[in-house]
Amino acid sequence: SVSSHGMQRRLFSRSSRCRTIMPAWVIDKYGSNDVLRFTRNAAFPIINYPNEVIVKVFAAGLNPLDIGMRGGYGAATMSMKRDPLNMKQSGSEFPLILGRDVSGVIMECGLDVKYFRERDEVWAAIPPWKQGSLAEFVVLSANEVSHKPKSLSHTEAAAIPYVATTAWSALVNTGGLRKDNCANKRILILGGSGGVGTFAIQMLKAWGAHVTVTCSQNAERFVRELGADHVVDYTAGPVEEPLGELEKFDLILDNIGGDTERWALSLLKPWSGSKYVTLVTPFLQNTDSLGVADGMMQTAATVATKALKHLVKGVHYRWGLFAPNGPALDEIRDMVDAGQIRAVVDETFSFSQVPQAFDKVEKGHARGKTVVEIS
Ligand code: NDP
């Protein structure tokens, strides 16, 4: 199989390298932190399509999704994406490599790749159904990849792509915001101090919006330094009370979920196209518990019911979902290099400390991002 592996790589790329293994952190089953295993013998990624690139990983960013996926969250949907015809046995995703953010250098390009060449410095958010960045190399589609900001180190760059493309999907694609329509808008971010929040504050401020944020009292200075105009401490009591006394909002980005849906939509300006966009959705739980087909039906029914319930009150209810997006990363890179957005790295870990890095993310209370330095 070693030689067929090499043959397949030569079909879609010019390289004649024939390395077949690499160091990586993998899991062989779902569970708590002790399922993480370091190996020097993970399969070297293969270019399976001519639009793919292999990236040498310099830094990998972690997200709460990695903690979820380590425990099997989303497994039903991910295995459907990896194996749509359901040809493989269950468990065929193992050994699974986690890590959704990458900053690194292109090592090899497929034959159709036009915008990248070997040795280009790139960053990307890796879709959850693909092998992740806690490895020496990762294979990605060229349309998921973007040239990284020159002003950032690889460690800093790995703190941005997943939360940034998620915020972009929620605010731009779902929320309808753009750099030229934010000037008079009032935006509320529920949960401003974590990965998505710290990025969203900066992007919206760069676009001229007025930004109100909820966070813990001890994060107030931190979010103000990122540009937040008004801060409400959620640890002081129910936030809906102080928020309810403020002028109403044009858009709410909810990074918290739970019972926020019960009160947040009443904080929106009615009958003026205002939107509530939540990132905390039951989409993957539904497919995990009901199977992909029934889970999707349940999901569609839930979101349709909720959207209708709020539409009759003059506000829009939407779900925000991560989507890989190289072109959005290009625009974000330009904002970073123009000094409008900075990387917010909470803590860095070495490649040997991956379990400690997971521990840190799992404990919560993030102030920006956790990043693993690979090489
Ligand atoms: P992080 O863990 O980086 O940040 C969460 C932040 O929220 C922490 O700073 C935490 O700090 C703060 N917080 C916790 N409770 C509250 C509260 N009640 N009110 C205000 N702030 C609070 O998470 P991310 O930013 O990466 O992600 C945010 C959410 O979005 C997660 O639930 C994640 O799963 C989801 N998500 C969904 C995606 C999708 O595709 N739908 C994609 C990406 C993320 P402290 O506890 O100290 O206050």
Side-chain angles (χ1 to χ4, degrees):
S1 84
V2 167
S3 71
S4 74
H5 182 119
M7 282 256 286
Q8 196 169 3
R9 289 182 64 214
R10 277 192 288 276
L11 275 181
F12 295 117
S13 87
R14 287 175 206 94
S15 172
S16 57
R17 269 184 283 260
C18 49
R19 252 184 91 171
T20 56
I21 56 170
M22 66 172 179
W25 282 87
V26 299
I27 63 171
D28 307 295
K29 59 174 191 257
Y30 299 117
S32 54
N33 229 11
D34 52 14
V35 298
L36 289 164
R37 172 173 71 90
F38 177 75
T39 173
R40 299 196 172 280
N41 301 323
F44 197 92
I46 299 172
I47 292 195
N48 273 315
Y49 300 94
N51 70 333
E52 287 183 327
V53 297
I54 294 179
V55 177
K56 178 165 168 49
V57 183
F58 280 64
L62 292 187
N63 289 274
L65 180 65
D66 290 301
I67 308 298
M69 285 179 68
R70 191 198 62 202
Y73 171 76
T77 305
M78 298 318 152
S79 56
M80 197 240 349
K81 288 291 286 187
R82 289 182 197 111
D83 176 24
L85 301 179
N86 200 12
M87 314 252 287
K88 298 185 188 151
Q89 282 179 332
S90 82
S92 63
E93 68 267 42
F94 301 122
L96 183 67
I97 303 175
L98 301 172
R100 305 276 57 103
D101 284 303
V102 56
S103 181
V105 172
I106 301 247
M107 216 223 31
E108 194 174 321
C109 292
L111 291 174
D112 286 353
V113 173
K114 305 231 163 35
Y115 297 103
F116 301 98
R117 42 180 83 172
E118 282 180 29
R119 289 193 286 281
D120 282 1
E121 296 199 304
V122 293
W123 62 346
I126 305 171
W129 53 90
K130 294 195 173 179
Q131 289 288 50
S133 52
L134 290 170
E136 201 178 348
F137 296 92
V138 63
V139 64
L140 290 166
S141 302
N143 60 4
E144 294 158 354
V145 176
S146 153
H147 288 108
K148 86 178 238 302
K150 289 200 167 34
S151 56
L152 298 187
S153 67
H154 285 293
T155 302
E156 292 170 314
I160 294 180
Y162 191 79
V163 291
T165 44
T166 298
W168 191 278
S169 165
L171 296 172
V172 179
N173 300 346
T174 306
L177 300 181
R178 296 184 311 267
K179 90 172 152 224
D180 57 3
N181 72 357
C182 284
N184 298 313
K185 291 215 163 78
R186 287 177 52 75
I187 315 287
L188 170 62
I189 301 175
L190 297 172
S193 53
V196 176
T198 51
F199 177 84
I201 294 171
Q202 298 185 83
M203 185 172 91
L204 292 169
K205 285 313 296 174
W207 288 353
H210 182 279
V211 178
T212 300
V213 157
T214 67
C215 65
S216 300
Q217 200 247 325
N218 67 16
E220 170 163 357
R221 241 186 74 190
F222 172 70
V223 297
R224 279 199 190 277
E225 278 165 9
L226 294 168
D229 297 291
H230 188 80
V231 181
V232 176
D233 168 19
Y234 80 88
T235 62
V239 277
E240 55 271 36
E241 290 167 17
L243 289 173
E245 288 163 15
L246 303 175
E247 192 188 324
K248 292 213 182 313
F249 296 93
D250 297 285
L251 187 139
I252 299 174
L253 175 65
D254 188 353
N255 301 320
I256 302 302
D259 78 342
T260 50
E261 281 185 19
R262 281 201 287 112
W263 46 263
L265 286 107
S266 68
L267 304 174
L268 289 170
K269 294 177 188 164
W271 308 111
S272 59
S274 64
K275 293 192 181 76
Y276 165 87
V277 185
T278 180
L279 288 176
V280 185
T281 76
F283 175 65
L284 293 174
Q285 282 97 314
N286 283 347
T287 52
D288 284 342
S289 59
L290 303 172
V292 172
D294 289 349
M296 289 207 177
M297 295 273 282
Q298 176 68 52
T299 299
T302 306
V303 73
T305 311
K306 290 188 183 191
L308 192 63
K309 177 177 131 198
H310 296 293
L311 194 59
V312 296
K313 295 185 205 145
V315 296
H316 298 276
Y317 173 96
R318 295 281 186 273
W319 285 356
L321 291 168
F322 162 81
N325 191 341
L329 283 175
D330 287 344
E331 295 194 43
I332 291 157
R333 180 217 29 248
D334 294 343
M335 295 177 80
V336 170
D337 279 339
Q340 295 177 310
I341 292 175
R342 67 177 176 87
V344 186
V345 179
D346 187 353
E347 196 167 347
T348 60
F349 293 85
S350 68
F351 199 28
S352 62
Q353 294 174 312
V354 164
Q356 288 94 312
F358 271 75
D359 236 4
K360 153 84 183 151
V361 177
E362 194 159 16
K363 287 206 174 88
H365 307 303
R367 297 291 177 265
K369 300 290 303 172
T370 295
V371 178
V372 176
E373 297 179 319
I374 309 286
S375 60

